[in-house]
Amino acid sequence: AQSVTQPDIHITVSEGASLELRCNYSYGATPYLFWYVQSPGQGLQLLLKYFSGDTLVQGIKGFEAEFKRSQSSFNLRKPSVHWSDAAEYFCAVGVSGTYKYIFGTGTRLKVLA
Amino acid sequence: DSGVTQTPKHLITATGQRVTLRCSPRSGDLSVYWYQQSLDQGLQFLIQYYNGEERAKGNILERFSAQQFPDLHSELNLSSLELGDSALYFCASSVGPGIQETQYFGPGTRLLVL
């Protein structure tokens, strides 16, 4: 069965530090992969998505993610974190042919001033 | 502001009751999705409609039903409510039905069942 794992429930980084949020998926075919951000009291916003092609994907707000098929991973990165990046981040996989989406449990990011 | 609106923002009701959540998609979007976010289950995809037709079903309970109307707004009906149905319910919309579409999420309806 398809699944998405975000191993880190909470991550704390200092402002200006680099960030990497981990995401591992279990899926038989080439997945459709997404990263969303949810700020407190808000809905989700798409940061970036990957379907095919270049495995390094650029998104909004300075985020990028790299698809690594051999590791079944799609980790999210940002070179320098801003206080406004404090939020919850969700990785998701789209199951082709079914139109269904499976979300990870989320990683809550705290940014220290 | 994503352009997706949801009403009401908050809803408090009792067990056994029935409620209706409403969603208006972004102008031009034909596809509507419903999600449930709870502490114990996380974020779960419930159902998708495209241009009035059901397109995909996720983990939606039989007590729940949805529909998309000709003006493209959608309603999620929750009946015989249980304490465990307390959650944040999101609606999202996209232009097309495909898995690759960018979904735009509304602010959610917070449901509390007492």
Side-chain angles (χ1 to χ4, degrees):
Chain A
Q2 301 91 356
S3 66
V4 177
T5 302
Q6 292 181 249
D8 304 305
I9 298 174
H10 297 277
I11 282 188
T12 300
V13 299
S14 297
E15 192 170 18
S18 64
L19 172 70
E20 183 168 30
L21 302 183
R22 296 183 291 164
C23 173
N24 293 95
Y25 65 89
S26 172
Y27 185 63
T30 299
Y32 295 87
L33 295 163
F34 308 81
W35 273 102
Y36 286 87
V37 61
Q38 184 179 24
S39 298
Q42 306 284 324
L44 280 75
Q45 182 183 23
L46 181 68
L47 287 175
L48 45 79
K49 56 187 177 182
Y50 172 79
F51 304 134
S52 63
D54 192 347
T55 56
L56 187 61
V57 181
Q58 301 298 319
I60 63 171
K61 304 186 180 188
F63 286 92
E64 66 178 26
E66 187 171 13
F67 171 61
K68 292 185 177 180
R69 184 189 301 276
S70 61
Q71 298 176 19
S72 297
S73 70
F74 188 57
N75 294 348
L76 183 71
R77 300 194 295 247
K78 186 169 185 178
S80 177
V81 170
H82 188 262
W83 64 266
S84 61
D85 293 324
E88 190 153 21
Y89 292 80
F90 292 91
C91 180
V93 62
V95 183
S96 64
T98 69
Y99 304 98
K100 295 181 182 178
Y101 300 85
I102 300 170
F103 283 81
T105 50
T107 296
R108 188 171 295 277
L109 174 66
K110 183 177 179 180
V111 179
L112 300 176
Chain B
D1 184 359
S2 66
V4 178
T5 60
Q6 290 187 248
T7 56
K9 287 187 178 178
H10 303 275
L11 198 50
I12 302 175
T13 188
T15 54
Q17 295 298 304
R18 172 188 169 94
V19 298
T20 297
L21 313 183
R22 182 187 169 100
C23 169
S24 292
R26 293 188 324 153
S27 177
D29 284 359
L30 299 179
S31 197
V32 169
Y33 312 77
W34 285 98
Y35 294 87
Q36 179 195 58
Q37 186 177 35
S38 63
L39 285 176
D40 54 344
Q41 302 277 353
L43 189 59
Q44 292 199 91
F45 166 68
L46 295 179
I47 197 164
Q48 178 198 8
Y49 280 82
Y50 175 70
N51 205 19
E53 299 290 326
E54 181 183 305
R55 182 58 70 112
K57 254 185 179 178
N59 299 322
I60 188 166
L61 299 171
E62 286 192 10
R63 300 184 285 108
F64 296 1
S65 64
Q67 59 184 109
Q68 185 179 28
F69 294 86
D71 67 352
L72 301 176
H73 91 272
S74 178
E75 292 181 357
L76 179 67
N77 300 296
L78 315 176
S79 61
S80 302
L81 284 167
E82 302 174 0
L83 296 177
D85 298 327
S86 296
L88 192 52
Y89 291 84
F90 286 110
C91 166
S93 73
S94 64
V95 174
I99 203 86
Q100 74 279 10
E101 294 283 332
T102 294
Q103 296 182 40
Y104 296 86
F105 281 73
T109 292
R110 187 170 294 279
L111 173 67
L112 179 59
V113 182
L114 300 176

